[in-house]
Amino acid sequence: MAARWWRRALRGLCGAALFLSQLSVLSGRAGSLMTTKLSQPQSTLAKSLTSTSTNAPYFKAVESTEIPPYLTNCPSNGLCSRLPPDCMTCNTNYSCVYGKTATFDCRVKPHVHCVDENNHEQENFTINMTCQFCWQLATSDYVCTNSTNCMTVSCPRQRYNATCTVRDHIHCLGNRVFPKMLYCNWTGGYKWSTALALSITLGGFGADRFYLGQWREGLGKLFSFGGLGIWTLIDVLLIGVGYVGPADGSLYI
């Protein structure tokens, strides 16, 4: 009886030991699986961060060494109040009275160096200028494009669209480049005195008309002997008062 009891006890102990060993193996496998699952996103995140930081382009701020185009018109170490308008930026004062002198606060543009009357370098200064827009300036204060395609001798006088630019030493409000309608005013090099002299002396042969480039009228006067003198007298009067001009529509010199 005792031997049977010991055999049953040994069998129970062996079964309990086997159960505990299997339980420990299963718990170890579960822990490794959990560790693998938890470490996988971290490793993936680490890879993504590593790849992102590696592949991301690196932009380095490069200082521009290009010289601004306005610097060519800006004298160095000159008086700030004498700088051309392209070298400064001024606060527009639209409350000034038209035609009156007004004071404007200005600042030099980058890379522009100027001084005051005491030879001290400064960036902020004031200037005095007449309160008016650029297109209201006198004709001597701006330069406009010229047209050689319009007729200067016509009734009524023809106009053309010109583009005008304010001179460098003139300060004004608004755009410094503006359009304007101007009368045709150009010359092709013909002299009024020469045309009148030819009309008086050789007008019967059409020399005046040939000189002005009107060859059809010149041939008509040549073969009609100046319209028997009548056409010659009429041309002398018309050229004398400036009614007949060059064929290209330009003005006399």
Side-chain angles (χ1 to χ4, degrees), residues 77-124:
N77 295 327
L79 289 176
C80 295
S81 58
R82 301 288 181 86
L83 287 175
D86 293 337
C87 305
M88 65 181 74
T89 302
C90 299
N91 295 329
T92 305
N93 183 11
Y94 290 106
S95 62
C96 59
V97 180
Y98 173 75
K100 302 293 183 180
T101 302
T103 302
F104 294 82
D105 296 326
C106 301
R107 180 183 178 87
V108 294
K109 290 184 177 180
H111 308 291
V112 178
H113 302 281
C114 63
V115 296
D116 57 7
E117 295 179 354
N118 297 325
N119 203 24
H120 295 156
E121 186 173 357
Q122 61 178 172
E123 295 182 355
N124 300 315

Side-chain angles (χ1 to χ4, degrees), residues 149-160:
N149 297 324
C150 58
M151 299 291 292
T152 58
V153 182
S154 63
C155 186
R157 292 184 62 185
Q158 291 186 2
R159 294 174 179 261
Y160 70 97

